[in-house]
Amino acid sequence: MPEPTHILLAAAAWTGEGGAVLDQPELHVEAGRIAWIGRQGTRPRPEGAVVSDLGARFLTPGFIDAHLHLWGLDLSDPSALWNWTPAYRAARAVGDLERMLQAGITAVRCLGGPLGPSLARAVREGVVPGPHIVAAGEFICSRAGTWDHAAFPQAWVETLGMYADGPDECRRRVRERIRQGADFIKVGGSVGEHTDTLRPWGDDPARLRLAYTDAELRAVVEEAHRNGLKVASHAIGEAAVRQALDCGVDSIEHGHGISAELAKRIADSGAVLVPTLALPALRAETAAPHAAAGWRRHRAAQREALQQALRAGVRIAAGTDFVGPPATPLGPSAVEMELLVEAGMTPDQALTACITEGSSLLGLSDRIGRLAVGYEADLVALPGDPRRDIAVVRRPDFVMKSGRVVRELP
């Protein structure tokens, strides 16, 4: 017997349709999808319908974190990457998924890590609750490149299966990711000096080098595109972002430390920029003094790059780059929208970056990211209007994912 229609009433709704706001909305949810949306009282209610009156609350589509890592790690334990079993890490990651749902995060893009494709499958098949997951699988990284754990024996790092040097090995790694269930490819395009404390990001965003030759990066992109997968590049600094565009990368992750001219080129290319303001913001407050100074430099460069991108008309999606406790716990991911507003976006632009551009970047814009008939019933009820106070996005009172209530009213 089918479940009864679930009717939601609220004071207003940001629909995701070009920033349109519907006053006194009424949504009818059936079989996990929005069957009807309109003003309250303008359509008969089906017999036996369940009604949730959300009162003065403001509805939006579910939030999307377009850049995070489902590692199941606690980074305060430096041995965790090597000593924690995959099963234990997966169990911890399932807890992270639940915390994200409670925070209103109903879809995520996992930008590197071995657990992502399996967690995506488990959520998709209903084995565990969680946001929709689009996952890259493990990174693709050159030796001495972006995520090469140079402080550890190379033989240990080899076991992670992320190394790729030369065009042929780059193609091989892409094929391995496809076999492992990846939805897209994540490649490391820039790296700091070997003496840098923040080596993947570099201690200074103006002083990074390329991690790959043009031929290697083109091999990654060509093989991924040949198989219908997009490519995301960790690219900080002028040289890495220019190379990513030259080689046809689809999204620029981080993307600061560049000129206004290059920002215009990103806009013209149609590539999406994911600035990830949240990670440096939190690390600048919690890291040791010598590392915090580097994170502050990145924060300043990110702010400048975001303002350049806005002036140039770059497509921007919101992602945190959160990886887990203690400094960046998965769950309070909506902090990225607040930081985007602090850096120059309007609240409406931040909502668009999080929800509309996020759903497009995940390849799910035909299913999520709008309050519209036929779309999955992923939605959040907030205690106020986020266009007036973006901070309310971190205080959801009610969350629904695919028509299932995952956070009840207090």
Side-chain angles (χ1 to χ4, degrees):
M1 183 175 178
E3 293 186 2
T5 301
H6 194 157
I7 296 175
L8 303 174
L9 310 175
W14 190 90
T15 64
E17 306 258 19
V21 172
L22 177 64
D23 290 328
Q24 298 297 307
E26 180 173 322
L27 285 79
H28 294 196
V29 176
E30 297 175 357
R33 294 182 178 270
I34 298 171
W36 182 80
I37 179 171
R39 287 183 63 85
Q40 294 176 23
T42 60
R43 183 183 179 94
R45 295 177 180 175
E47 185 177 350
V50 175
V51 179
S52 291
D53 189 343
L54 304 174
R57 292 172 179 85
F58 194 102
L59 283 176
T60 73
F63 302 142
I64 298 169
D65 190 332
H67 187 134
L68 52 65
H69 299 274
L70 299 170
W71 288 350
L73 293 175
D74 183 330
L75 299 186
S76 66
D77 182 349
S79 72
L81 178 63
W82 312 108
N83 293 333
W84 288 8
T85 66
Y88 177 61
R89 289 176 58 183
R92 289 178 59 96
V94 168
D96 290 333
L97 298 180
E98 176 61 29
R99 281 184 286 275
M100 285 189 282
L101 283 178
Q102 292 296 312
I105 310 297
T106 57
V108 301
R109 180 169 169 256
C110 180
L111 267 286
L115 303 179
S118 294
L119 290 170
R121 177 183 176 184
V123 171
R124 189 169 56 247
E125 295 178 356
V127 177
V128 297
H132 307 285
I133 301 172
V134 173
E138 189 56 271
F139 303 115
I140 294 180
C141 171
S142 60
R143 289 167 178 84
T146 309
W147 304 286
D148 188 356
H149 301 267
F152 298 102
Q154 184 169 330
W156 292 13
V157 185
E158 292 276 3
T159 65
L160 300 177
M162 67 179 180
Y163 279 152
D165 292 311
D168 288 345
E169 194 172 20
C170 287
R171 290 190 182 91
R172 175 190 166 197
R173 287 300 188 201
V174 172
R175 293 171 184 174
E176 286 179 355
R177 299 295 174 269
I178 295 169
R179 188 175 187 277
Q180 292 159 357
D183 300 301
F184 66 100
I185 299 299
K186 172 71 178 298
V187 63
S190 62
V191 63
E193 299 297 331
H194 71 281
T195 55
D196 282 357
T197 300
L198 313 178
R199 197 158 178 275
W201 284 61
D203 289 354
D204 185 341
R207 189 173 57 88
L208 283 91
R209 59 183 174 80
L210 297 177
Y212 274 116
T213 65
D214 290 358
E216 289 170 316
L217 185 55
R218 282 201 177 94
V220 170
V221 174
E222 289 171 2
E223 191 63 25
H225 286 180
R226 189 177 69 81
N227 286 279
L229 273 64
K230 293 183 178 181
V231 177
S233 177
H234 169 110
I236 300 171
E238 188 87 2
V241 173
R242 180 179 289 113
Q243 182 191 55
L245 296 174
D246 288 345
C247 295
V249 162
D250 301 284
S251 70
I252 307 295
E253 311 299 319
H254 317 303
H256 52 284
I258 67 172
S259 64
E261 178 185 0
L262 192 55
K264 182 63 168 63
R265 190 176 162 203
I266 297 174
D268 292 342
S269 74
V272 180
L273 173 66
V274 189
T276 67
L277 306 185
L279 180 71
L282 270 66
R283 290 273 173 86
E285 296 176 358
T286 60
H290 65 285
W295 288 119
R296 287 193 294 271
R297 283 190 285 271
H298 282 285
R299 286 197 69 184
Q302 285 180 322
R303 185 183 183 90
E304 180 182 358
L306 179 68
Q307 292 168 354
Q308 289 175 340
L310 290 170
R311 289 192 293 269
V314 174
R315 294 177 58 201
I316 299 170
T320 59
D321 203 10
F322 281 6
V323 298
T328 55
L330 295 166
S333 305
V335 67
E336 184 73 12
M337 283 189 274
E338 291 182 71
L339 293 170
L340 288 169
V341 171
E342 287 179 10
M345 276 190 172
T346 67
D348 196 72
Q349 286 175 322
L351 288 166
T352 298
C354 175
I355 297 168
T356 308
E357 291 293 355
S359 65
S360 177
L361 185 56
L362 269 63
L364 301 176
S365 59
D366 60 338
R367 293 174 47 198
I368 64 173
R370 294 167 62 190
L371 301 182
V373 172
Y375 277 66
E376 293 200 31
D378 294 356
L379 51 90
V380 179
L382 303 171
D385 186 342
R387 299 171 302 163
R388 295 190 175 91
D389 178 12
I390 193 64
V392 300
V393 299
R394 294 175 69 188
R395 303 197 303 272
D397 285 334
F398 175 93
V399 180
M400 175 178 280
K401 191 253 179 172
S402 299
R404 184 176 71 87
V405 177
V406 295
R407 185 184 184 111
E408 299 277 3
L409 287 175

